[in-house]
Amino acid sequence: MDWADELAQQVRDAGPQVVNDSKTPSGTVHVGSLRGPVILDAISRALRANGIETTLLYGVDDLDPMDAQALLTPDAVDYEMGRPLAHVPDQVDDIHASYARHHAQIFIDTFAGLGIHPDRYYWMSEHYAAGDMDPYIRTALDKAALVRDIYTRVANVRHPDTWHPISVICPNCGKVGTTIVTDWDGERVFYECRPSLVAWARGCGQSGWISPFGGNAKLPWNLEWAAQWSLFGVTIEPNGKDLATAGGSRDRSDTIAREVFEREPPLNLPYEFLNVGGRKMSTSKGRGAAAHTIAEVVPPEQLRFLFLRYRPNHAIDFDPEGTDQVPRLFDDFDKFAAATAGREVRGELAPGYEATFGYSLLDPDANRDAEAAAYRAPFAHLAMLIQVPGVDVVERVESEKGSALTDRERALLDERAVAARAWLDTYAPESALLTIQHDALPASVAELDAAQQRFLARLSERASREEPASGDAWQTLIFTVATEEGVPGRRAFEAIYRAFLDRPNGPRAGWLLASLDPAFVVGRAREAGGFAGTVA
Ligand SMILES: [Zn+2]
Ligand SMILES: [Zn+2]
């Protein structure tokens, strides 16, 4: 059983489940932010697989104040900072109705591509405007003293006795981040829009009585979160570990749910971050690894797998820039597939690997065993093959497989070839970029010693006789000849790389030679093997 199935077992007898997550659309979304939605989706699939009626919700907290100056045009900063994200115009000249819609939509658009299909998306600005939040606003204001007491008890945050848990959207300047409420008469609140309430936005100084209902005001985050749980009947809501600290956001909202809205908070499953390049990147700062950018290189099933292969409380380090982490992600995925298909794999796999593989698939109704058994060309091999001029990739892959590809395998190959090309164009290290030295013997063969030359000459001779066809056959022949000639493996590979790539290192040599025209390989190895005779 994997962790998602364990959770499903835990709530098996608790009736229908509502799984929820929500996000503030404050800027470009980092790939790590996909961990939540992917976890939510796997939980929903596990619940459904266990026969539990499940609703998956995803919300956009778009009435939150704009506080990310960097993403505003300079002339917009004074006016827009502190206004609800839903009221800030789209800073990009495309079709979105607001700044919030722009950033939320780009993020949400990656969901369907990842096989995540919430039953419903909700936008908090709409629920406030429709009056759905009014009962919770009234309760929070009626119990303002209790809310202040909870902040003191749970978070050691002491609000003045006049503080009320609501933020009015200033009717004069439209800002929500700059207002405080100091009184409540049962129908209206007294608000002040303070010039220096916060450092990042400037209020206009207006004050007065106003109704807090119907979209005129929003609850502070901890109360809004707890109110969402009541409004939508949420039973399971995992959150990032940063919110799960003692006295932190989740603790506060849990207590508010119990004591103010009198409802048991949802089950939590705190999840760790995805660290990109050793840095925990926030959603609004830094160059980052934007979710939609990574999704262009890593296909959906491998991206789901990246998040699902570890338990949620396990931090993930992912650094695609200039490393082999993308190829290794594919290799690990293939290993889970192989093990699920009952094939022998090297190393140990976490318990529940079949479930993890299944939940990584794009289609929740896919035949897991058939998918696991499908042939997948190793990513690094493919990344090399597509760089060899004139090579017939399908033919090469079929010869490695030993039979024709099925339609499904062909589709997987096409997807993977696109990913490999995208990887070579973006994250791949220099060492992955190859130029086959077709035209002439590379200068670098001058570095070969006599033993390496002997090895190449002998390899040429044996290959012309034995005609190895697959990468494995080539790899075996390379090792055999190296052993016979008393050349250490590393030196033998170096000889091949110098003769064909004009450099001392490269991809798996067997694959490299198998991808090239056999006559060219035999001729070049012979030529490079005889080079000693003409230099000295
Ligand atoms: Zn837009
Ligand atoms: Zn104002």
Side-chain angles (χ1 to χ4, degrees), residues 6-22:
E6 285 170 17
L7 182 75
Q9 285 298 311
Q10 202 183 322
V11 300
R12 199 181 36 192
D13 303 318
Q17 298 293 310
V18 177
V19 185
N20 179 60
D21 191 10
S22 68

Side-chain angles (χ1 to χ4, degrees), residues 168-176 178-179 191 193 204-206 210 216:
V168 165
I169 300 169
C170 175
N172 182 48
C173 71
K175 296 186 180 181
V176 68
T178 53
T179 64
Y191 78 96
C193 183
C204 68
Q206 183 107 345
I210 190 173
N216 285 351

Side-chain angles (χ1 to χ4, degrees), residues 351-411:
Y353 58 82
E354 309 97 323
T356 305
F357 176 76
Y359 294 137
S360 298
L361 297 174
L362 194 54
D363 176 4
D365 302 319
N367 179 336
R368 186 182 75 189
D369 294 339
E371 284 293 309
Y375 181 82
R376 291 173 173 82
F379 184 87
H381 183 194
L382 205 49
M384 185 209 70
L385 268 186
I386 60 176
Q387 295 180 79
V388 178
V391 78
D392 184 332
V393 172
V394 176
E395 192 186 296
R396 280 310 323 156
V397 170
E398 289 189 330
S399 102
E400 294 294 337
K401 184 197 170 193
S403 62
L405 296 178
T406 64
D407 288 348
R408 175 61 183 149
E409 289 168 339
R410 179 62 199 268

Side-chain angles (χ1 to χ4, degrees), residues 200-249:
W200 41 269
R202 196 171 166 77
C204 68
Q206 183 107 345
S207 63
W209 288 91
I210 190 173
S211 161
F213 302 124
N216 285 351
K218 87 177 276 294
L219 291 167
W221 166 237
N222 296 131
L223 287 106
E224 184 173 295
W225 201 4
Q228 284 175 357
W229 296 336
S230 289
L231 181 60
F232 302 120
V234 180
T235 58
I236 298 176
E237 179 155 348
N239 60 249
K241 233 176 179 172
D242 55 334
L243 303 178
T245 53
S249 241

Side-chain angles (χ1 to χ4, degrees), residues 1-10 32 35-36 38-40 42-43 46 238-241 267-275 304-317 336 349-353 355-357 359-360:
M1 231 191 299
D2 86 341
W3 57 264
D5 288 324
E6 285 170 17
L7 182 75
Q9 285 298 311
Q10 202 183 322
R35 190 168 194 179
V38 171
I39 284 176
L40 248 63
I43 289 172
N239 60 249
K241 233 176 179 172
L267 195 67
N268 192 5
L269 187 72
Y271 52 87
E272 265 285 359
F273 293 105
L274 174 94
N275 302 307
R304 291 178 64 94
F305 176 74
L306 170 67
F307 295 112
L308 295 178
R309 61 175 304 190
Y310 298 112
R311 300 186 75 86
N313 62 4
H314 186 294
I316 301 172
D317 289 305
F336 273 61
L349 293 181
Y353 58 82
T356 305
F357 176 76
Y359 294 137
S360 298

Side-chain angles (χ1 to χ4, degrees), residues 102-168:
H102 177 89
H103 290 287
Q105 201 59 52
I106 288 177
F107 188 50
I108 284 171
D109 284 348
T110 62
F111 287 12
L114 281 172
I116 303 169
H117 304 285
D119 297 289
R120 193 155 56 82
Y121 288 100
Y122 61 87
W123 302 77
M124 285 310 293
S125 60
E126 293 179 351
H127 284 289
Y128 276 103
D132 299 338
M133 295 294 279
D134 291 354
Y136 306 102
I137 291 173
R138 180 176 292 281
T139 301
L141 289 170
D142 286 344
K143 296 184 179 177
L146 172 60
V147 174
R148 291 192 293 265
D149 177 57
I150 290 170
Y151 273 95
T152 308
R153 259 189 291 132
V154 178
N156 203 21
V157 171
R158 205 169 288 276
H159 286 297
D161 288 348
T162 53
W163 181 88
H164 285 69
I166 190 82
S167 299
V168 165

